[in-house]
Amino acid sequence: MAEHKKNLAILGSTGSIGTQSLEVLDLIPDKFNIIALSAGNNIELVSEQIKKYTPKIVCVKTKEAADKLKEKHINTKFVYGDSGLIEIANLPEVEMVLVAVSGKIGLKPTIQAIKNKKDIALANKETLVMAGDIVMKLAREYNVNILPVDSEHSAIFQCLSNRKEVKHLVITASGGPFRNSTLEEMKDANLDEALAHPRWKMGKKITVDSATLMNKGLEVIEAHHLFNFKYEDIKVILHPQSYIHSAVEYNDGSIIAQIGNPSMHIPIQYALTYPERIEGIETESFDFVKAAKFEFYEPDMVKFPSLALAFEAGKKGGTYPVCLNAANEEAVFAFLEKKIKFLEIYEITKKIFDEYTSIENATLEQILEEDEKIRVKTRQLISKMRAL
Ligand code: NDP
Ligand code: MG
């Protein structure tokens, strides 16, 4: 009898994670049916993907884009916007949703998919930073697996066997392009320098976050929710080679780490095929001798204060992480548009954060309202700074 193929929806199929997940799926064609795809603005790429994968339904950002694609692909159903993503999360035949959109748009469809008892392969960290308590509670209630795609969380997921016997988590960070730069040099860092990540090729937002180490801060919050660890028990260590993707220290002093070449294909594939490990796209063995050097450093919180701010937001709880995420994202967008300088990303986020009053036990609606309020305030602050 033929093996059952899992029915998969990919949200954000045109992005860095989305395209790499399709590369993974190309090598394991017997395992999955691609039922749904979603894109934002990259209509050309999604059009090629539709030709190749013949999904039943595709979501794009706007009605115009949907109408245009419909002319070319008459057998595909097109939906658009937030409601289109929800429609995909509601499809009865979908068994797993890979959430690889960037930003807050991932949150609602993830929640909807959980409520429909679909397993989640989660790349979109904003979902857990904004609403980790709500999302994890729902996942338990609906008995749904949240399988981490983020490489550090995939590593921890693979190393955690008995949660009760673990002392702490060790999250590794490459240190980004400015690991060896001085604060003075970082002040004048331009966009190209911030986007020149030494290890990973990723979307622009997360690449800038990797340069400030805010990405690591968001990952600490993500790990807190995914694995239910106190912030005091989550350590961050710089490891420029990115061979150790993260580790877990047990009570007896044993450390179990997940090691491999830096490739997102591995965590993506493991999230998709869990609990199976199969031969897929990565066939080359890790060469210990060639790797030779594993270096480790303490993160410099003076050069990278965003990491400290993320720990603070996580520890304070309530909607502080929502504030951190929204203010940072708006500041990163402004940096990408060359409206502000690199170090101002942190300065703006910090100012908004310090003026913020958090809500305890916020509902999803309150979280989304707060998110919007903070974004407006951050954009106003940026306009004011630019007017000076
Ligand atoms: P990209 O920017 O490369 O891709 C984002 C995807 O989301 C694209 O498909 C994009 O569509 C879509 N998208 C963005 N905005 C919208 C919108 N408003 N409406 C509909 N679709 C939208 O990001 P990454 O792939 O790098 O990251 C995706 C997520 O995964 C992020 O949350 C990131 O933090 C996380 N992640 C990424 C890693 C990586 O290696 N890249 C590693 C770990 C986590 P389009 O391009 O068509 O506009
Ligand atoms: Mg990561």
Side-chain angles (χ1 to χ4, degrees):
M1 204 176 80
E3 200 184 342
H4 170 72
K5 279 192 179 185
K6 203 181 262 182
N7 287 335
L8 179 69
I10 304 176
L11 307 186
S13 62
T14 47
S16 154
I17 294 287
T19 50
Q20 291 183 86
S21 65
L22 289 168
E23 287 162 15
V24 165
L25 291 162
D26 283 345
L27 273 279
I28 49 172
D30 303 339
K31 295 271 176 197
F32 291 91
N33 284 319
I34 298 169
I35 303 287
L37 297 175
S38 102
N41 295 318
N42 199 340
I43 300 307
E44 268 139 59
L45 180 56
V46 81
S47 187
E48 281 170 32
Q49 292 177 346
I50 296 167
K51 246 193 267 162
K52 181 164 176 192
Y53 299 103
T54 59
K56 202 174 127 182
I57 174 166
V58 172
C59 180
V60 285
K61 213 160 155 181
T62 61
K63 182 168 186 309
E64 294 72 56
D67 289 344
K68 206 168 143 201
L69 282 163
K70 183 78 204 161
E71 288 169 16
K72 223 165 142 192
H73 305 279
I74 47 172
N75 294 322
T76 312
K77 178 174 176 185
F78 289 93
V79 291
Y80 60 91
D82 285 0
S83 63
L85 293 175
I86 298 288
E87 208 168 312
I88 291 178
N90 281 338
L91 285 178
E93 67 267 50
V94 167
E95 294 164 272
M96 177 181 249
V97 181
L98 168 61
V99 186
V101 287
S102 56
K104 67 170 173 181
I105 53 157
L107 178 54
K108 279 197 199 162
T110 303
I111 286 184
Q112 192 66 18
I114 294 172
K115 287 183 175 169
N116 286 316
K117 294 192 183 253
K118 302 181 192 315
D119 282 333
I120 307 291
L122 188 65
N124 177 270
K125 59 192 80 182
E126 294 85 348
T127 288
L128 290 178
V129 173
M130 290 176 72
D133 289 332
I134 295 176
V135 170
M136 294 313 289
K137 188 162 170 262
L138 282 172
R140 283 191 297 274
E141 225 171 277
Y142 287 88
N143 201 16
V144 156
N145 286 317
I146 309 271
L147 299 153
V149 169
D150 212 343
S151 58
E152 296 78 3
H153 305 78
S154 174
I156 292 167
F157 182 64
Q158 294 177 57
C159 298
L160 262 183
S161 55
N162 193 342
R163 164 74 181 77
K164 286 201 190 80
E165 293 170 0
V166 176
K167 211 150 62 182
H168 57 245
L169 305 180
V170 182
I171 298 185
T172 54
S174 73
F178 302 131
R179 187 175 63 84
N180 290 322
S181 310
T182 62
L183 260 179
E184 206 48 45
E185 287 164 344
M186 285 161 76
K187 216 181 255 167
D188 296 320
N190 64 30
L191 186 55
D192 291 340
E193 288 164 330
L195 289 177
H197 197 275
R199 287 284 170 266
W200 305 94
K201 177 95 192 69
M202 308 176 287
K204 282 186 182 164
K205 154 70 171 53
I206 182 174
T207 304
V208 174
D209 280 348
S210 300
T212 58
L213 288 204
M214 178 58 90
N215 180 51
K216 213 42 57 178
L218 300 177
E219 290 184 355
V220 167
I221 300 173
E222 186 185 6
H224 160 83
H225 289 294
L226 271 175
F227 307 115
N228 191 22
F229 275 80
K230 293 201 295 267
Y231 287 96
E232 289 73 12
D233 296 330
I234 304 175
K235 292 189 178 174
V236 172
I237 191 102
L238 297 194
H239 168 44
Q241 289 80 12
S242 300
Y243 294 138
I244 296 184
H245 301 131
S246 278
V248 167
E249 182 172 337
Y250 284 86
N251 289 334
D252 62 357
S254 272
I255 293 182
I256 304 201
Q258 191 250 349
I259 300 175
N261 291 316
S263 158
M264 283 311 294
H265 288 135
I266 298 171
I268 291 169
Q269 180 174 300
Y270 191 61
L272 294 175
T273 64
Y274 172 83
E276 264 187 288
R277 289 181 186 275
I278 58 173
E279 198 173 301
I281 185 167
E282 294 290 340
T283 48
E284 207 175 310
S285 290
F286 180 73
D287 188 334
F288 279 86
V289 175
K290 213 157 101 194
K293 210 154 114 186
F294 282 41
E295 290 173 301
F296 304 97
Y297 303 93
E298 199 76 56
D300 181 340
M301 297 288 195
V302 177
K303 256 169 61 182
F304 301 110
S306 296
L307 179 57
L309 190 64
F311 266 103
E312 186 186 338
K315 283 181 188 165
K316 281 185 160 166
T319 45
Y320 278 112
V322 179
C323 173
L324 177 90
N325 180 62
N328 172 66
E329 191 166 301
E330 289 301 323
V332 171
F333 289 158
F335 176 71
L336 287 172
E337 289 167 15
K338 301 189 175 169
K339 289 182 181 165
I340 62 167
K341 291 183 153 196
F342 181 72
L343 292 182
E344 286 175 333
I345 300 171
Y346 169 75
E347 287 161 21
I348 288 163
T349 309
K350 167 86 173 143
K351 189 160 190 329
I352 297 287
F353 186 86
D354 285 345
E355 288 169 5
Y356 183 64
T357 314
S358 155
I359 302 177
E360 287 301 312
N361 302 316
T363 61
L364 181 62
E365 287 66 35
Q366 284 174 315
I367 287 173
L368 293 169
E369 266 170 37
E370 289 302 295
D371 175 83
E372 199 45 48
K373 267 197 321 218
I374 297 153
R375 283 172 196 270
V376 171
K377 216 176 147 195
T378 311
R379 288 197 288 262
Q380 281 168 351
L381 174 62
I382 292 168
S383 304
K384 222 161 73 191
M385 284 167 60
R386 278 167 58 79
L388 288 178

